[in-house]
Amino acid sequence: MPNQDTNASLSSGNLSSGSLLDVLLSDHLITPAQADEIKVKSASLNKPYEDTLVSLGLVSSEKLAEVKAKLYGVPFISLASFSFSPLALSMIPRAVAERFRLIPFLFDEKTRTLSIAMANPVDLEALEFVRQKTGLDIKIFATSEDELKKVIDQQYKQGIVGEVGKAIKETTELTKPRTIDSREIAEIIKEAPIAKIVSTILEYAVSSRASDVHIEPQEDRIRVRYRIDGILYDRLSLPKTVQEAVISRTKILSNMKIDEHRIPQDGRFNFKAENNEVDLRISVMPTAFGEKIVMRLLRKSGGVPTLPDLGLSGISLKNLETATLRPHGIIIVCGPTGSGKTTTLYSVLEKLNTSRVNIMTLEDPIEYQMTGVNQVQINPAVGLTFATGLRSFLRQDPNIILVGEIRDKETTELAIQAALTGHLVFSTLHTSNASGALPRLVDLGAETFLLSSTMNAIVGQRIIRKICLYCKEANVPLRPIIEEIRNVLGKLFPSSNGQEIKIYRGKGCEKCGGFGYLGRIGIFEVLPVSNKISSLILEHPDSATVEKEAVLEGMITMKQDGYLKVLAGITTPEEVIRVAQE
């Protein structure tokens, strides 16, 4: 930290203009010519250098804050991905945070130290006010003004932080770790504050559309993260003192053994928040600092989306629908874990589900209950695997069979056998794209002459985030972005007729939590197994050869589908590159 005299001279937040430009020049953030321009413009407008820097767009507000922190001798922190302590936030009201442009984010119980981030970390009036109000030692960090405004609005509006903060205050003394006797654990987990913490964590998960919740013990705290639209976000930091009680409370709800800490455990329970009921699959895993909990949320309400709702359109939708109309054969959906393969298969089954057909599924786990469909969950502990279940299915007079995943030689052979005997078989495979499925099935033991006669179509897919409709805005993209899109799309690139191509972004708002994205949609490639590709299969082709032929026959690749959705204003180029870049 600077000394008191320096602090006093800088308490207004103004920097020595020479020193600011000196640091920017030494860090190669501006050129000497730009420095001269800043001096002239600032003098003519009678504005501080930092205002001129931002207005000219030479330095971002975050980078400027880093430079100022360097000059002040204060550590810089980026708050965008930080998990806030509810206890810390409860110590300073929102009105004070907005008035002094600061936010508390961490409370160290052992040293009684409150960490705060400030836009102006040498505001002595603000520091003295916070010290007197809290009675704690204060640790100062610098952050950018823009980020601070966004985080104050985000954190103080979140019910999760306030509710959990109140609950933590109601727990027993927080200044020292709590030793829990095994005989009293059953009573502790029933205490209102602990039950409230777990309940609030789950309520926020439901309201924020999270697919997973991670409760992760760290050395000095518990981090709570939520996977929202496929991305993990820090949302909460709990004190170490409630760790055992929160874990035990979750175990009891999931029908797990609360006195077993050495091995992984799995469980499940239902949870209802407002009108939304979710099925929670719980996994507990011992780690270095305690047991980590991951909760997978499976929503019971909302129904199965249609294929167009998922993002399928045009020739891809037509090819998949044509393949599903054939009375027998195999349709494979490919992609990594969490790419929406099962949801796509459910959408297809929902379309085919009538009283005239017998549909049977073999899943791990059953994610949606479908009326009129005979769904079976595998149970390896009693010998019910994909292979043994599929063998039994053939004696159940099915028309359509869904096998959750093809992962071994026996399941591969049985799926092909089912298709050869007049059944329509759906399954998933972990390959990066559609063309990679054929070589993978050969590796799993499939005979090429049987594959060529049974494969109907292969679908490759990923999930991308959609631009938030509430804060969507158009802008003209940089030339390299347009060139990249033009090169990937080729003849699919639309004619601009002399008009500027525009792409869209979300600037961030209350509805999307400031991220600019709200909801998700799929990008797809559908590879119909034509006569030419059937002939290719007999030659043991690699995936590149299969993809080249499929593209010649009109297949739209995943990346092309993604860029078409960019031009349609559905998503951003960054999202497509994030999920579809090879």
Side-chain angles (χ1 to χ4, degrees), residues 17-63:
S17 55
S19 61
L20 175 63
L21 293 183
D22 289 343
V23 173
L24 290 168
L25 283 166
S26 65
D27 288 351
H28 305 292
L29 294 171
I30 59 172
T31 63
Q34 288 173 330
D36 292 338
E37 182 188 355
I38 291 162
K39 289 175 183 176
V40 171
K41 193 149 191 167
S42 295
S44 64
L45 297 173
N46 195 25
K47 282 187 174 182
Y49 284 10
E50 52 196 282
D51 290 356
T52 307
L53 277 161
V54 174
S55 66
L56 289 174
L58 297 175
V59 180
S60 68
S61 62
E62 184 172 4
K63 185 57 70 176

Coordinates of all heavy atoms in Angstrom, one line a residue, residues 17-63:
S17 N -0.7 12.1 -14.0 CA -0.9 11.8 -15.4 C 0.4 11.3 -16.0 O 0.4 10.4 -16.8 CB -1.4 13.0 -16.1 OG -0.5 14.1 -15.9
G18 N 1.6 11.9 -15.6 CA 2.8 11.4 -16.2 C 3.1 10.0 -15.8 O 3.4 9.2 -16.7
S19 N 2.9 9.6 -14.6 CA 3.2 8.2 -14.1 C 2.2 7.2 -14.8 O 2.6 6.1 -15.1 CB 3.1 8.1 -12.6 OG 1.7 8.4 -12.2
L20 N 0.9 7.6 -15.0 CA 0.0 6.7 -15.7 C 0.4 6.5 -17.1 O 0.5 5.3 -17.5 CB -1.4 7.4 -15.7 CG -2.5 6.6 -16.4 CD1 -2.8 5.3 -15.8 CD2 -3.8 7.5 -16.5
L21 N 0.8 7.5 -17.8 CA 1.2 7.3 -19.2 C 2.6 6.5 -19.3 O 2.8 5.7 -20.2 CB 1.4 8.6 -19.9 CG 0.1 9.4 -20.2 CD1 0.3 10.7 -21.0 CD2 -1.0 8.6 -20.9
D22 N 3.4 6.8 -18.3 CA 4.7 6.1 -18.2 C 4.5 4.6 -18.1 O 5.2 3.8 -18.8 CB 5.5 6.6 -17.0 CG 6.0 8.0 -17.2 OD1 6.0 8.4 -18.4 OD2 6.4 8.6 -16.2
V23 N 3.6 4.2 -17.2 CA 3.3 2.7 -17.1 C 2.7 2.1 -18.3 O 3.1 1.0 -18.8 CB 2.4 2.5 -15.8 CG1 2.0 1.0 -15.7 CG2 3.1 2.9 -14.6
L24 N 1.7 2.8 -18.9 CA 1.1 2.4 -20.1 C 2.1 2.2 -21.3 O 2.1 1.2 -22.0 CB 0.0 3.3 -20.6 CG -1.3 3.4 -19.7 CD1 -2.1 4.6 -20.1 CD2 -2.1 2.1 -19.8
L25 N 3.1 3.2 -21.3 CA 4.1 3.1 -22.4 C 5.1 1.9 -22.1 O 5.4 1.2 -23.0 CB 4.9 4.4 -22.4 CG 4.2 5.6 -23.1 CD1 4.9 6.9 -22.8 CD2 4.2 5.3 -24.6
S26 N 5.5 1.8 -20.8 CA 6.4 0.7 -20.4 C 5.8 -0.7 -20.6 O 6.5 -1.7 -20.9 CB 6.9 0.8 -19.0 OG 5.8 0.7 -18.1
D27 N 4.5 -0.8 -20.5 CA 3.8 -2.1 -20.7 C 3.4 -2.3 -22.1 O 2.7 -3.2 -22.5 CB 2.5 -2.2 -19.8 CG 2.9 -2.3 -18.3 OD1 4.1 -2.6 -18.0 OD2 2.0 -2.3 -17.5
H28 N 3.8 -1.3 -23.0 CA 3.5 -1.4 -24.5 C 1.9 -1.4 -24.7 O 1.5 -2.0 -25.7 CB 4.1 -2.6 -25.1 CG 5.6 -2.6 -24.9 ND1 6.5 -1.7 -25.5 CD2 6.4 -3.4 -24.1 CE1 7.7 -2.0 -25.1 NE2 7.7 -3.0 -24.3
L29 N 1.2 -0.7 -23.9 CA -0.3 -0.7 -24.1 C -0.6 0.5 -25.0 O -1.7 0.5 -25.6 CB -1.0 -0.6 -22.7 CG -0.8 -1.8 -21.8 CD1 -1.4 -1.5 -20.4 CD2 -1.6 -3.0 -22.4
I30 N 0.2 1.5 -25.0 CA 0.0 2.6 -26.0 C 1.4 2.9 -26.6 O 2.4 2.6 -26.1 CB -0.5 3.9 -25.3 CG1 0.4 4.4 -24.2 CG2 -2.0 3.6 -24.8 CD1 0.0 5.7 -23.6
T31 N 1.3 3.6 -27.7 CA 2.6 4.0 -28.4 C 2.9 5.5 -28.0 O 2.1 6.2 -27.5 CB 2.4 4.0 -29.9 OG1 1.4 4.9 -30.3 CG2 2.0 2.6 -30.4
P32 N 4.2 5.9 -28.2 CA 4.5 7.3 -27.9 C 3.6 8.3 -28.7 O 3.2 9.3 -28.1 CB 6.0 7.4 -28.4 CG 6.5 6.0 -28.2 CD 5.4 5.1 -28.6
A33 N 3.3 8.0 -29.9 CA 2.4 8.9 -30.7 C 1.0 9.0 -30.0 O 0.4 10.1 -29.9 CB 2.3 8.4 -32.1
Q34 N 0.5 7.8 -29.5 CA -0.8 7.9 -28.8 C -0.7 8.6 -27.5 O -1.7 9.3 -27.2 CB -1.3 6.4 -28.6 CG -1.7 5.7 -29.9 CD -2.0 4.2 -29.6 OE1 -1.4 3.6 -28.7 NE2 -2.9 3.7 -30.4
A35 N 0.4 8.5 -26.8 CA 0.6 9.3 -25.6 C 0.5 10.8 -25.8 O -0.1 11.5 -25.1 CB 1.9 8.9 -24.9
D36 N 1.2 11.2 -26.9 CA 1.2 12.6 -27.3 C -0.3 13.1 -27.6 O -0.7 14.2 -27.2 CB 2.1 12.9 -28.5 CG 3.6 12.7 -28.1 OD1 3.9 12.8 -26.9 OD2 4.4 12.5 -29.1
E37 N -1.0 12.2 -28.4 CA -2.4 12.5 -28.7 C -3.2 12.7 -27.5 O -4.1 13.6 -27.4 CB -2.9 11.4 -29.6 CG -4.4 11.7 -30.1 CD -5.0 10.5 -30.8 OE1 -4.3 9.5 -31.0 OE2 -6.2 10.6 -31.1
I38 N -3.0 11.8 -26.5 CA -3.8 11.8 -25.2 C -3.5 13.2 -24.5 O -4.4 13.8 -24.0 CB -3.4 10.6 -24.3 CG1 -4.0 9.3 -25.0 CG2 -4.0 10.8 -22.9 CD1 -3.3 8.1 -24.4
K39 N -2.3 13.6 -24.5 CA -1.9 14.8 -23.7 C -2.6 16.0 -24.4 O -3.1 16.9 -23.7 CB -0.4 15.0 -23.8 CG 0.4 14.0 -22.9 CD 1.9 14.2 -23.1 CE 2.7 13.2 -22.3 NZ 4.1 13.3 -22.5
V40 N -2.5 16.1 -25.7 CA -3.2 17.2 -26.4 C -4.7 17.2 -26.2 O -5.2 18.3 -25.9 CB -2.8 17.1 -27.9 CG1 -3.6 18.2 -28.7 CG2 -1.3 17.3 -28.2
K41 N -5.3 16.0 -26.4 CA -6.8 16.0 -26.3 C -7.2 16.3 -24.8 O -8.2 17.0 -24.6 CB -7.3 14.6 -26.7 CG -8.7 14.5 -26.9 CD -9.1 13.5 -28.0 CE -10.5 13.6 -28.4 NZ -10.9 12.9 -29.6
S42 N -6.5 15.8 -23.9 CA -6.9 16.0 -22.5 C -6.7 17.5 -22.1 O -7.6 18.0 -21.4 CB -6.0 15.2 -21.5 OG -6.2 13.8 -21.7
A43 N -5.7 18.1 -22.6 CA -5.5 19.5 -22.3 C -6.6 20.4 -23.0 O -7.1 21.3 -22.4 CB -4.1 20.0 -22.9
S44 N -6.9 20.0 -24.2 CA -8.0 20.8 -24.9 C -9.4 20.7 -24.3 O -10.2 21.6 -24.3 CB -8.0 20.4 -26.4 OG -8.4 19.1 -26.6
L45 N -9.6 19.5 -23.8 CA -11.0 19.2 -23.2 C -11.0 19.4 -21.7 O -12.0 19.3 -21.1 CB -11.4 17.8 -23.5 CG -11.6 17.4 -25.0 CD1 -11.9 15.9 -25.2 CD2 -12.8 18.2 -25.6
N46 N -9.8 19.7 -21.1 CA -9.7 19.8 -19.7 C -10.2 18.6 -18.9 O -11.0 18.7 -18.0 CB -10.4 21.1 -19.2 CG -10.0 21.5 -17.8 OD1 -8.8 21.1 -17.4 ND2 -10.8 22.2 -17.1
K47 N -9.8 17.4 -19.4 CA -10.2 16.2 -18.8 C -9.0 15.4 -18.3 O -7.9 15.5 -18.9 CB -11.0 15.3 -19.8 CG -12.4 15.7 -20.1 CD -13.1 14.7 -21.0 CE -14.6 15.0 -21.1 NZ -15.2 14.0 -22.0
P48 N -9.1 14.5 -17.3 CA -8.0 13.6 -16.9 C -7.6 12.7 -18.0 O -8.4 12.3 -18.9 CB -8.6 12.8 -15.7 CG -9.8 13.6 -15.3 CD -10.4 14.3 -16.5
Y49 N -6.4 12.3 -18.0 CA -5.9 11.4 -19.0 C -6.7 10.1 -19.1 O -6.9 9.5 -20.1 CB -4.4 11.0 -18.7 CG -3.4 12.1 -19.1 CD1 -3.9 13.4 -19.4 CD2 -2.0 11.9 -19.1 CE1 -3.0 14.4 -19.7 CE2 -1.1 12.9 -19.4 CZ -1.6 14.2 -19.7 OH -0.7 15.2 -20.0
E50 N -7.0 9.6 -17.9 CA -7.7 8.3 -17.9 C -9.1 8.4 -18.6 O -9.5 7.4 -19.3 CB -7.9 7.7 -16.5 CG -8.5 8.7 -15.5 CD -8.3 8.3 -14.1 OE1 -9.0 7.4 -13.6 OE2 -7.4 8.8 -13.4
D51 N -9.8 9.5 -18.5 CA -11.0 9.7 -19.2 C -10.8 9.7 -20.7 O -11.6 9.1 -21.5 CB -11.7 11.0 -18.8 CG -12.3 10.9 -17.4 OD1 -12.2 9.8 -16.8 OD2 -12.8 11.9 -16.9
T52 N -9.7 10.3 -21.2 CA -9.4 10.4 -22.6 C -9.0 9.0 -23.1 O -9.4 8.7 -24.2 CB -8.2 11.4 -22.8 OG1 -8.6 12.6 -22.2 CG2 -8.0 11.6 -24.3
L53 N -8.3 8.3 -22.3 CA -7.9 6.9 -22.7 C -9.1 6.0 -23.0 O -9.1 5.4 -24.0 CB -7.1 6.3 -21.6 CG -5.6 6.6 -21.5 CD1 -5.0 6.3 -20.2 CD2 -4.8 5.8 -22.6
V54 N -10.1 6.1 -22.1 CA -11.3 5.3 -22.3 C -12.1 5.8 -23.5 O -12.6 5.0 -24.3 CB -12.1 5.2 -21.0 CG1 -13.4 4.5 -21.2 CG2 -11.3 4.6 -19.9
S55 N -12.3 7.1 -23.6 CA -13.1 7.6 -24.6 C -12.5 7.4 -26.0 O -13.3 7.2 -27.0 CB -13.3 9.2 -24.5 OG -12.1 9.8 -24.6
L56 N -11.2 7.3 -26.1 CA -10.6 7.0 -27.4 C -10.5 5.5 -27.7 O -10.2 5.1 -28.8 CB -9.1 7.5 -27.4 CG -8.9 9.0 -27.5 CD1 -7.5 9.4 -27.4 CD2 -9.5 9.6 -28.8
G57 N -10.9 4.7 -26.7 CA -10.9 3.2 -26.9 C -9.5 2.6 -27.0 O -9.4 1.5 -27.5
L58 N -8.5 3.3 -26.4 CA -7.1 2.8 -26.5 C -6.9 1.7 -25.4 O -6.1 0.8 -25.7 CB -6.1 4.0 -26.3 CG -6.2 5.0 -27.4 CD1 -5.2 6.2 -27.1 CD2 -5.8 4.4 -28.8
V59 N -7.5 1.9 -24.3 CA -7.3 0.9 -23.2 C -8.7 0.6 -22.6 O -9.5 1.5 -22.4 CB -6.4 1.5 -22.1 CG1 -6.2 0.5 -21.0 CG2 -5.1 1.9 -22.7
S60 N -9.0 -0.7 -22.3 CA -10.2 -1.1 -21.7 C -10.2 -0.6 -20.3 O -9.2 -0.4 -19.6 CB -10.4 -2.6 -21.7 OG -9.4 -3.2 -20.9
S61 N -11.4 -0.5 -19.7 CA -11.6 0.0 -18.3 C -10.9 -1.0 -17.4 O -10.3 -0.6 -16.3 CB -13.0 0.2 -17.9 OG -13.7 -1.1 -18.0
E62 N -10.9 -2.3 -17.7 CA -10.3 -3.3 -16.8 C -8.8 -3.1 -16.8 O -8.1 -3.2 -15.8 CB -10.7 -4.7 -17.3 CG -10.1 -5.8 -16.3 CD -10.7 -7.2 -16.6 OE1 -11.4 -7.3 -17.6 OE2 -10.3 -8.1 -15.9
K63 N -8.2 -3.0 -18.0 CA -6.8 -2.8 -18.2 C -6.3 -1.5 -17.5 O -5.3 -1.5 -16.8 CB -6.4 -2.8 -19.6 CG -4.9 -2.7 -19.9 CD -4.1 -3.9 -19.2 CE -4.4 -5.2 -19.9 NZ -3.6 -6.3 -19.3

